[in-house]
Amino acid sequence: MKRKIPCFCDNVFEEEIPEEIDLDKDPGYLEEILLGSFFSFTCPSCQKLHKPEFPLILLWPSKKLRLEILPELDRGEFYRRKKPPSFSDKLVLETIIGYPEMADRLAVIQDGYEPAAVEAIKYFLHLKAEEQYPDEELDIWYSPKEDLGAPRSHETLEFHIHGIRDNEVAVMKVPMALYTKTLDDYKKSPKGELFSALRSSSYLSVKNTMRAGA
């Protein structure tokens, strides 16, 4: 459907934005998301690049997933809603809030890891980082096994921490043994205290643990 995109130069332009994408049928979209070029539009008036967030459904039948992507601005509305939407097919509905989380989650699934275990590791990393930087607002993202063609070690998982210093990214490498242990804990007790705190209805994210009163 056509969406209007306002620019700071006071120009408003329209772009055709899909409401639903099947990643099995259109794998090019997966590459765009992982590379950060997804939904990038240039204002025809001033040439400024825009990366707006719109609601989106991503189907991934080969992974048995239906991903409900919500803009970051809809985070509060998500927490207020009473129940997630229902569908007649057998795809598992997962909610993702914000396009950075979308890229993060797709990379985790693409690399064959369990999202709940990865989000739990992010929680541990947040606790460690906040001890050293208690006044900073930090974001921690999973980094794919391959970055621009450079293969990563299979002995570690790599995470990038944003927010410690302006325009800098801290790299944290986590031993695979920690992932394996966390995955085992999840399989033994998927509704344990930590994993329950990571999930709010259809939304699995370390950000659920950072809400007031969480």
Side-chain angles (χ1 to χ4, degrees):
M1 65 179 297
K2 287 285 187 180
R3 293 277 193 175
K4 291 183 178 181
I5 302 174
C7 183
F8 292 110
C9 72
D10 292 331
N11 181 45
V12 178
F13 60 101
E14 289 189 338
E15 294 288 348
E16 187 69 34
I17 308 291
E19 296 179 86
E20 183 175 289
I21 292 173
D22 187 320
L23 295 176
D24 287 339
K25 294 180 179 179
D26 296 299
Y29 279 116
L30 177 59
E31 183 177 357
E32 288 181 13
I33 293 170
L34 296 180
L35 292 176
S37 60
F38 183 69
F39 281 9
S40 296
F41 307 104
T42 301
C43 173
S45 178
C46 70
Q47 307 306 307
K48 178 178 176 57
L49 182 66
H50 292 266
K51 302 187 73 173
E53 294 188 356
F54 294 107
L56 177 69
I57 293 293
L58 290 182
L59 303 176
W60 207 348
S62 61
K63 306 292 185 183
K64 296 182 172 57
L65 282 175
R66 178 191 303 274
L67 303 175
E68 174 196 34
I69 315 299
L70 301 178
E72 182 62 42
L73 290 174
D74 289 352
R75 180 175 293 275
E77 183 178 341
F78 165 80
Y79 287 120
R80 288 190 295 270
R81 79 182 186 186
K82 295 182 179 179
K83 61 180 181 179
S86 60
F87 300 89
S88 58
D89 57 40
K90 296 182 179 180
L91 299 181
V92 176
L93 175 69
E94 290 285 339
T95 298
I96 296 173
I97 302 178
Y99 282 19
E101 256 191 7
M102 171 178 64
D104 180 279
R105 181 61 51 80
L106 293 182
V108 169
I109 296 171
Q110 176 81 347
D111 285 351
Y113 296 120
E114 167 53 54
V118 172
E119 293 300 311
I121 291 174
K122 287 183 190 176
Y123 174 75
F124 300 142
L125 294 178
H126 265 287
L127 292 181
K128 184 175 181 180
E130 287 171 356
E131 289 178 358
Q132 294 180 286
Y133 308 98
D135 299 324
E136 304 298 335
E137 187 173 337
L138 307 177
D139 280 314
I140 300 180
W141 305 109
Y142 168 77
S143 183
K145 287 181 183 177
E146 295 191 7
D147 185 7
L148 299 179
R152 296 272 172 79
S153 168
H154 289 268
E155 297 177 357
T156 60
L157 270 67
E158 185 172 305
F159 294 83
H160 291 177
I161 305 176
H162 298 251
I164 295 177
R165 294 185 180 87
D166 291 342
N167 302 316
E168 290 187 18
V169 176
V171 176
M172 180 70 71
K173 294 186 178 182
V174 173
M176 186 59 69
L178 177 58
Y179 169 78
T180 301
K181 180 183 182 306
T182 306
L183 179 61
D184 287 344
D185 290 343
Y186 175 67
K187 288 180 177 179
K188 291 176 183 176
S189 184
K191 294 185 179 180
E193 183 177 0
L194 172 57
F195 299 111
S196 293
L198 290 169
R199 179 171 287 282
S200 176
S201 183
S202 57
Y203 180 44
L204 170 71
S205 174
V206 68
K207 293 189 177 182
N208 285 320
T209 67
M210 302 174 190
R211 297 175 60 205

